[in-house]
Amino acid sequence: MSAPPALQIREANAHLAAVHRRVAELEARLDAAERTVHAQAERLALHDQQLRAALDELGRAKDREIATLQEQLMTSEATVHSLQATVHQRDELIRQLQPRAELLQDICRHRPPLAGLLDALAEAERLGPLPASDPGHPPPGGPGPPLDNSTGEEADRDHLQPAVFGTTV
């Protein structure tokens, strides 16, 4: 066998140099891609860590809010029970006072006639007792002679004790 011609060797060397450059270029691109992937992985891991921290904080905030709302609910329920007890007590008081209120309404309905009666009694009291007079001569407008169905004792009693009007109120 004979040695390859110089031209073939040069072409083969040029081809090997081109392949070597292409390998170096591809290795550089691979290295850059690996750095990019590694940087992206670090960013994703950091972002994932931040999201997990935010999610954990949201969970704690949710738990705090639930605890606050449960406390408010318990306070509100206690207030409702207290108000219901107050309403029950007031209803009981109203039930107890209802007959008295009805009595006062009845008294108020009877007040005008009673006021008139009290005024008349006060006027009679102001006039005072009748002056002592001779039983044989009754005062004008006073008691007259005994009626037919009278026993006469009432007339004697009227002359013995003059009528006096008064009130007890």
Side-chain angles (χ1 to χ4, degrees), residues 79-154:
T79 302
V80 165
H81 290 303
S82 172
L83 291 174
Q84 285 175 335
T86 301
V87 166
H88 180 71
Q89 288 173 346
R90 289 191 179 163
D91 286 348
E92 182 63 25
L93 181 61
I94 288 171
R95 187 190 65 74
Q96 291 173 358
L97 293 176
Q98 190 66 35
R100 293 173 190 226
E102 291 170 1
L103 178 63
L104 286 174
Q105 287 176 342
D106 195 36
I107 289 170
C108 288
R109 277 193 298 273
H110 291 89
R111 184 173 178 222
L114 289 175
L117 177 62
L118 289 175
D119 288 344
L121 288 173
E123 178 65 20
E125 196 172 79
R126 186 185 63 77
L127 291 175
L130 291 174
S133 61
D134 181 18
H137 295 86
L147 297 174
D148 290 337
N149 63 354
S150 171
T151 61
E153 292 178 14
E154 291 91 4

Side-chain angles (χ1 to χ4, degrees), residues 16-30:
L16 281 173
V19 168
H20 190 328
R21 280 191 308 271
R22 179 74 176 144
V23 166
E25 179 186 315
L26 288 174
E27 284 178 347
R29 285 178 62 190
L30 177 63

Side-chain angles (χ1 to χ4, degrees), residues 23-88:
V23 166
E25 179 186 315
L26 288 174
E27 284 178 347
R29 285 178 62 190
L30 177 63
D31 189 41
E34 284 177 349
R35 284 192 309 268
T36 302
V37 167
H38 183 67
Q40 286 178 347
E42 285 179 2
R43 281 195 305 266
L44 285 175
L46 179 63
H47 187 65
D48 186 51
Q49 184 181 3
Q50 290 171 343
L51 287 177
R52 286 182 193 277
L55 188 59
D56 289 344
E57 180 55 36
L58 278 174
R60 287 189 296 273
K62 175 197 64 123
D63 291 342
R64 285 191 303 268
E65 187 172 350
I66 286 173
T68 301
L69 291 174
Q70 284 177 335
E71 186 176 315
Q72 288 175 351
L73 177 64
M74 290 174 62
T75 302
S76 296
E77 286 176 345
T79 302
V80 165
H81 290 303
S82 172
L83 291 174
Q84 285 175 335
T86 301
V87 166
H88 180 71

